[in-house]
Amino acid sequence: MAQHHLLASKSKNIALKDIFRLTESEAFHLLKAKRWGNPDNIRDVCCPHCGIRHEAYFLKSRKRWCCKHCQRHFYITTNTIFSFHKLPLVDILAATLLMVNSSKGISAIDISRHLNINYKTAFVLCHKLREALFKTRDLRLMQGEIHEDGAWINFTLRKPNYRKNNHKQRQQSDEKERKFPKFRPTKRCIISLNQRSANDEQMWGSNRTIVAMDYTENADTVFALNQRFITGGSDIMCDENPAYNNLDFHYTRWSVNHQEAFSAKGINNNLAESFNARFRDLHRGVHHKTDNKYALHYANQAAFMSDNRRKSNGELFSDVLQRCLWVLPLK
């Protein structure tokens, strides 16, 4: 039996103790190398205001540059998601590594306990990292075999709690709930498009996942998503939801009846079902609840960790850090 990739030694090439051993000056030089390269020359930078790369003036005591062209001052985090930060750079790097090390996500309360910082500070920092992943996601057209499915979130209502223990009234209410189930107005559907990896020796399963959120999984939403993100003529694997029936003209649709089987003669949408299971682990198991305002960012984080599951934690750390240094400040 093959060893799980997270158990292999090559999947772990950076440790949290390596981050905490860094001084603020070493963390500063690490960020400079990730953002502008050339770690040997501290003056070789690209001005985030005018966009001209040159050897700017560097004030060592303030860790600040001055552009020779626009005469404006800037720091290592200027025009990044870490702008106006108050946390030490080492704590920011540690929070980034903690997030990529957790395969099913990590909560803000755990970040605050690991780094001994305020919960609200950890919450904002985690959402900055998630929004950086969301704004730098790969939205190129998919092709080949695509598995699609939807997962509902924030939809259940609590049972009524009666002040007086009236057995008849409670029994009537239970009968109504069985006939007409109630849903919260906050319910949303997370729709995932999962592309099967083809001719890939290092990865099997899905290699690209695009997520979207809507009020319902209807035919118009499904058709618009497929027209935007999937090349015509691709194979669409789905269940027998009638919302996918309109795809027959532009795509080759294969459906499976889940009331009878998970897979019928090789036809299944197991890649989408696997993503839904991982997203539920993150949604219910780690964070317990997510507001609809940020639910798509949580889903995109699950998609990012799923697509890059064969990378080492050092590669993931470098990738996420560079994305954060590319994204403009969040508003």
Side-chain angles (χ1 to χ4, degrees), residues 182-195:
K182 295 181 180 180
F183 294 99
R184 287 180 180 174
T186 58
K187 69 171 184 175
R188 297 293 185 272
C189 184
I190 301 294
I191 304 175
S192 61
L193 312 178
N194 303 267
Q195 176 182 267

Side-chain angles (χ1 to χ4, degrees), residues 154-166:
N154 302 336
F155 60 90
T156 56
L157 271 178
R158 288 187 177 183
K159 293 182 179 181
N161 183 17
Y162 297 103
R163 191 172 182 180
K164 296 181 180 180
N165 191 9
N166 191 333

Side-chain angles (χ1 to χ4, degrees), residues 130-233:
R130 292 189 190 98
E131 189 158 352
L133 293 178
F134 183 77
K135 289 187 175 181
T136 56
R137 55 184 176 158
D138 187 4
L139 297 179
R140 293 175 299 170
L141 288 177
M142 293 179 169
Q143 60 182 351
E145 184 179 330
I146 314 296
H147 292 210
E148 303 181 11
D149 197 14
W152 291 96
I153 61 172
N154 302 336
F155 60 90
T156 56
L157 271 178
R158 288 187 177 183
K159 293 182 179 181
N161 183 17
Y162 297 103
R163 191 172 182 180
K164 296 181 180 180
N165 191 9
N166 191 333
H167 177 71
K168 291 183 179 180
Q169 188 178 7
R170 187 171 66 251
Q171 185 176 5
Q172 291 176 0
S173 177
D174 291 342
E175 291 177 358
K176 290 181 180 179
E177 288 183 2
R178 282 195 294 267
K179 292 181 180 178
F180 306 102
K182 295 181 180 180
F183 294 99
R184 287 180 180 174
T186 58
K187 69 171 184 175
R188 297 293 185 272
C189 184
I190 301 294
I191 304 175
S192 61
L193 312 178
N194 303 267
Q195 176 182 267
R196 179 180 290 279
S197 59
N199 302 322
D200 195 340
E201 297 179 355
Q202 297 184 355
M203 181 183 295
W204 60 274
S206 63
N207 60 352
R208 277 190 62 205
T209 305
I210 294 179
V211 293
M213 184 176 70
D214 199 8
Y215 293 94
T216 181
E217 189 180 8
N218 57 20
D220 295 336
T221 301
V222 170
F223 184 75
L225 282 175
N226 283 269
Q227 287 289 94
R228 169 64 180 84
F229 296 115
I230 298 180
T231 307

Side-chain angles (χ1 to χ4, degrees), residues 312-325:
S312 64
N313 60 348
E315 293 174 318
L316 286 175
F317 173 75
S318 178
D319 185 13
V320 173
L321 194 58
Q322 285 185 341
R323 291 169 184 258
C324 294
L325 296 175

Side-chain angles (χ1 to χ4, degrees), residues 20 87 91 98 109-119 121-122:
F20 285 125
L87 284 178
D91 287 356
L98 284 171
I109 190 66
D110 289 340
I111 293 286
S112 68
R113 291 170 67 88
H114 284 310
L115 303 181
N116 192 18
I117 60 178
N118 188 275
Y119 168 74
T121 304

